[in-house]
Amino acid sequence: MDTMDDSTPLASQLLNESKRRERLKGRALPEPDRTRFFTISNQKGGVGKTTTTVNVAAALAQAGLNVLVVDIDPQGNASTALGIEHHAEVESIYDVLINDVPLEEVIAPCPDFETLCVAPATIHLAGAEIELVSLVAREQRLRRALDEYAKYREKQGMPRLDYVFIDCPPSLGLLTVNAFVAAREVLIPIQCEYYALEGLSQLLKNIEMIQKHLNGELVVSTILLTMYDGRTNLAAQVAQEVREHFPNEVLEAVIPRSVRISEAPSYQQTVITYDKSSTGALSYMEAAAEIADRGVTA
């Protein structure tokens, strides 16, 4: 029977993955000095924005860190992937933004991770853009709700949140503006495909506008390459181009095209629990570890 040496592509890949797993094995991720607030944003749809939100959050929670995911996309895909009910009768982030319901009243625990909780989105958010227009401090409503929730946790003797991830729609409406005002850091997923940088300059201009007028603390701290197909020259070229444009922001970790990553939400799971041994899960755990390490050195 022939044995497979590490000169074959498959054997080389397996050896590489084995080494990567060994580096992560039993490793404790550092706690940030204070809560880190991320908005995950890209005005281009289909780049893995929600997938990145839920899987990075899950990987950090799996490491024992306290994580909150705020779903402000009316589609509610992040809520679905984390196993959270979000039908029309459920109180959601809509009630927080429009009706001043305290955040603690809508937050639900993720069934798969003890230290991960979610503020779900419902279909009511689809009309929130219009309803927000006439409200006082319309751009600040999410930030104020998060500040009040932090005080609530402290009063209740609950541990401080380590990370807050806000998953927003792929557009610059008032929901996304609320996310930018509430966040301190922006995480931009960029797909390794043609036109990857299309629309990015407009996104950066919008962020600059938010920085100037509404949130001077906001920085683009993290860029994550997604949907990477190592079999194509195009993916390598795109990755190189993005790294040249943003040498300090791009993570070393790269998220591959993966059937397992795509399948997981249909089972109301992240890939971290759906198939922990998959390449996709490994890549998101590496990305989460890198984000955690960067928070310490920043």
Side-chain angles (χ1 to χ4, degrees):
M1 187 177 183
D2 291 333
T3 56
M4 184 169 57
D5 64 55
D6 61 7
S7 64
T8 66
L10 178 59
S12 179
Q13 181 186 339
L14 291 172
L15 182 63
N16 175 261
E17 285 187 21
S18 177
K19 288 177 179 175
R20 288 160 61 196
R21 286 182 203 286
E22 200 58 40
R23 283 197 292 269
L24 285 176
K25 191 176 180 182
R27 199 187 144 201
L29 298 187
E31 292 181 10
D33 294 335
R34 58 176 184 164
T35 305
R36 295 179 70 189
F37 295 85
F38 282 87
T39 184
I40 292 77
S41 183
N42 193 324
Q43 285 162 250
K44 194 171 186 296
V47 299
K49 186 169 55 63
T50 297
T51 302
T52 293
T53 302
V54 298
N55 284 297
V56 169
L60 291 166
Q62 180 183 251
L65 296 166
N66 293 290
V67 183
L68 168 65
V69 171
V70 180
D71 188 358
I72 59 168
D73 187 337
Q75 294 179 83
N77 291 337
S79 305
T80 298
L82 294 169
I84 306 297
E85 283 192 12
H86 59 102
H87 51 78
E89 288 74 37
V90 171
E91 280 201 312
S92 71
I93 198 67
Y94 167 85
D95 299 286
V96 174
L97 294 174
I98 305 299
N99 301 323
D100 294 318
V101 171
L103 198 52
E104 62 268 19
E105 292 186 19
V106 309
I107 282 175
C110 175
D112 292 324
F113 300 98
E114 192 177 324
T115 59
L116 175 57
C117 53
V118 184
T122 60
I123 194 62
H124 297 306
L125 270 180
E129 296 277 5
I130 297 166
E131 293 179 76
L132 279 166
V133 170
S134 61
L135 297 182
V136 175
R138 60 192 182 186
E139 300 96 349
Q140 308 278 345
R141 296 180 78 82
L142 180 57
R143 182 165 192 164
R144 290 182 180 181
L146 286 165
D147 288 345
E148 289 301 314
Y149 180 61
K151 292 173 187 172
Y152 166 81
R153 286 182 73 99
E154 191 176 352
K155 281 181 188 172
Q156 298 298 313
M158 299 167 71
R160 182 208 67 189
L161 288 170
D162 295 305
Y163 290 89
V164 175
F165 292 99
I166 307 167
D167 185 39
C168 47
S171 61
L172 191 74
L174 276 171
L175 289 174
T176 303
V177 170
N178 262 271
F180 280 140
V181 173
R184 311 294 183 273
E185 301 179 58
V186 182
L187 190 166
I188 304 175
I190 296 180
Q191 65 189 128
C192 295
E193 293 183 353
Y194 196 55
Y195 295 137
L197 297 175
E198 186 184 70
L200 189 59
S201 59
Q202 186 57 50
L203 173 62
L204 295 174
K205 282 178 187 172
N206 290 337
I207 291 170
E208 204 174 300
M209 187 171 62
I210 299 288
Q211 290 167 328
K212 188 175 180 182
H213 298 288
L214 294 168
N215 183 4
E217 296 178 272
L218 190 66
V219 294
V220 177
S221 67
T222 312
I223 292 175
L224 178 63
L225 296 168
T226 63
M227 302 181 187
Y228 185 85
D229 187 343
R231 298 168 299 180
T232 68
N233 289 329
L234 175 62
Q237 288 167 5
V238 170
Q240 183 181 349
E241 187 178 352
V242 175
R243 289 188 189 282
E244 284 173 1
H245 275 81
F246 306 98
N248 300 319
E249 292 82 7
V250 182
L251 296 180
E252 288 297 321
V254 174
I255 309 304
R257 277 203 172 278
S258 163
V259 174
R260 288 289 187 252
I261 291 175
S262 303
E263 286 176 345
S266 64
Y267 293 89
Q268 298 195 336
Q269 291 185 57
T270 64
V271 74
I272 308 295
T273 52
Y274 177 64
D275 187 354
K276 190 177 178 179
S277 65
S278 68
T279 306
L282 171 61
S283 298
Y284 270 117
M285 287 189 285
E286 287 177 326
E290 205 173 335
I291 287 169
D293 288 340
R294 286 184 171 204
V296 172
T297 56

